[in-house]
């Protein structure tokens, strides 16, 4: 986790297991993943881990509920016995089911996807959700783990709108909105270092490509969309890993890291409810100069139009 940043920067949070469940976490670092569905609205996820074959029965949730204070987001029921707990039999052996040909929207990090008998979709996404921030190379198995997450939906996916601009003079800023069914996605609280405290809160992960951290993709940071707009904004500054709740290698004394300005950025949002994770990749806007005044004014006007007060600090055009 990390501390709240300045007003123009999104609230950032290092992700830990159990926060902001979304496309629902099933396990970590599974291999040979197989997904099947049946006419009861159930899915069976079969995979290998640590030399053993696992069978997880999944049911009971579709899409997502809009954020309402005091209410609960939709969530799967999971049976890691493969159905014995639900049906008192070795259910996975007789599950049958199929994985109908997937013809839905493109998704990031998909390892299995099905179209069910009723036209709804199921997917398994596996990705390095727990990478350390500020471009560190993961130094433990937990930080290298691939999170295996299941989703179930019908209709349109959430939308992740992403743009770039500048704040406080010449600081690169990435900003956007996270929406589902034309409604903002947000939670009702975070810890003092930015972790969602309810089951509506979602984290958005920012990766940077070919930055000062090194070649390839590196995790820059993560943050939450704001209540009530669903907007987010992140300024590229230097941060001290020893303060603000960042994870860092033992004995680290290398000073501040960043800004993690790269040639392009990948933004991945945890799916609301049991919707799948969605992702956008955009090129860097580059350094500011006077010739980009019109581009800057347009970005400022767009961000201001969303009415998100915390993101409007640092904008130069009224």
């Amino acid at each position: 986790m990390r501390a709240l940043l300045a007003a123009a920067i999104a609230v950032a949070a290092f992700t830990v297991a159990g926060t902001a469940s979304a496309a629902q976490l099933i396990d970590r670092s599974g291999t040979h993943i197989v997904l099947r569905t049946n006419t009861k609205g159930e899915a069976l996820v079969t995979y290998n881990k640590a030399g053993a074959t696992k069978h997880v029965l999944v049911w009971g949730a579709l899409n997502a509920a809009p954020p309402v204070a005091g209410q609960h987001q939709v969530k799967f029921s999971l049976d890691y016995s493969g159905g014995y707990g639900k049906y008192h039999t070795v259910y996975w052996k007789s599950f049958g089911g199929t994985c109908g040909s997937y013809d839905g929207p493109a998704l990031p990090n998909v390892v299995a996807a099905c179209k069910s008998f009723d036209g709804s979709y199921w997917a398994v996404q596996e990705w390095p959700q727990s990478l350390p921030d500020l471009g560190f190379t993961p130094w433990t198995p937990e930080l290298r783990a691939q999170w295996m997450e299941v989703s179930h939906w019908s209709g349109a996916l959430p939308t992740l709108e992403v743009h770039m601009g500048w704040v406080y003079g010449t600081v690169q800023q990435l900003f956007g909105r996270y929406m589902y069914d034309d409604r903002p996605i947000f939670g009702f609280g975070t810890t003092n270092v930015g972790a969602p405290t309810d089951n509506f809160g979602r984290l958005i992960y920012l990766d940077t490509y070919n930055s000062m951290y090194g070649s390839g993709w590196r995790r820059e940071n993560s943050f939450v969309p704001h209540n009530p707009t669903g907007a987010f904004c992140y300024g590229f500054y230097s941060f001290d890993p020893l303060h603000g709740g960042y994870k860092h290698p033992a004995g680290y004394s290398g000073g501040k890291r960043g800004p993690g300005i790269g040639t392009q950025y990948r933004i991945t949002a945890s799916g609301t409810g049991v919707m799948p994770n969605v992702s956008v990749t955009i090129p860097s806007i580059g350094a500011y100069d006077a010739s980009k005044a019109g581009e800057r004014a347009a970005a400022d006007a767009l961000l201001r139009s969303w009415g998100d007060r915390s993101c409007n600090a640092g904008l130069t055009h009224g």
Side-chain angles (χ1 to χ4, degrees):
M1 309 295 175
R2 65 198 62 85
L4 302 183
L5 307 180
I9 312 173
V11 176
F14 189 91
T15 309
V16 297
T19 61
S21 62
Q24 200 159 324
L25 177 66
I26 301 298
D27 207 336
R28 297 169 179 83
S29 300
T31 62
H32 301 89
I33 299 165
V34 176
L35 172 66
R36 288 182 288 156
T37 68
N38 64 17
T39 58
K40 297 179 180 179
E42 300 168 330
L44 183 68
V45 183
T46 301
Y47 58 98
N48 293 344
K49 183 173 180 178
T53 300
K54 308 287 187 179
H55 307 277
V56 182
L57 186 66
V58 184
W59 75 96
L62 178 74
N63 293 338
V68 177
Q71 299 298 309
H72 295 283
Q73 185 56 274
V74 301
K75 184 178 181 180
F76 288 128
S77 294
L78 304 175
D79 186 341
Y80 283 85
S81 72
Y84 186 86
K86 183 180 183 183
Y87 292 109
H88 307 292
T89 181
V90 188
Y91 185 61
W92 64 265
K93 289 187 176 182
S94 59
F95 181 84
T98 62
C99 188
S101 179
Y102 181 78
D103 61 1
L107 296 171
N109 308 311
V110 172
V111 292
C114 301
K115 185 175 184 178
S116 192
F117 77 100
D118 60 359
S120 66
Y121 295 106
W122 292 82
V124 180
Q125 294 167 289
E126 194 170 42
W127 64 298
Q129 187 265 10
S130 52
L131 288 174
D133 294 326
L134 303 183
F136 283 116
T137 299
W139 61 91
T140 68
E142 291 76 15
L143 295 175
R144 291 190 292 269
Q146 298 284 320
W147 282 37
M148 186 170 67
E149 298 177 322
V150 174
S151 55
H152 184 206
W153 77 98
S154 62
L157 294 179
T159 57
L160 182 61
E161 180 181 357
V162 183
H163 306 274
M164 292 204 72
W166 300 270
V167 290
Y168 295 111
T170 60
V171 176
Q172 273 195 38
Q173 177 180 239
L174 181 147
F175 66 95
R177 288 190 299 182
Y178 192 24
M179 309 282 285
Y180 174 55
D181 197 24
D182 295 325
R183 299 178 179 180
I185 296 170
F186 59 85
F188 294 93
T190 62
T191 67
N192 65 340
V193 291
T197 56
D198 67 1
N199 52 19
F200 288 105
R202 292 295 178 261
L203 281 164
I204 296 174
Y205 300 84
L206 170 60
D207 298 327
T208 180
Y209 187 74
N210 287 354
S211 66
M212 67 178 299
Y213 303 134
S215 61
W217 289 106
R218 304 292 183 101
R219 177 65 44 79
E220 165 67 8
N221 227 314
S222 57
F223 37 83
V224 295
H226 300 165
N227 176 357
T229 63
F232 54 88
C233 42
Y234 181 83
F236 286 86
Y237 294 91
S238 297
F239 299 100
D240 185 348
L242 302 181
H243 299 90
Y246 290 99
K247 288 191 176 181
H248 54 81
Y252 176 80
S253 58
K256 290 186 176 182
R257 290 176 66 85
I261 295 170
T263 59
Q264 55 184 319
Y265 305 108
R266 181 174 60 204
I267 304 90
T268 304
S270 293
T272 181
V274 295
M275 301 292 289
N277 305 323
V278 293
S279 185
V280 172
T281 300
I282 63 170
S284 170
I285 199 170
Y288 180 75
D289 60 54
S291 69
K292 297 178 179 178
E295 189 174 356
R296 178 178 196 157
D300 285 4
L302 175 61
L303 181 52
R304 203 180 298 278
S305 73
W306 295 342
D308 189 283
R309 294 180 61 186
S310 63
C311 282
N312 287 343
L315 301 184
T316 59
H317 292 269

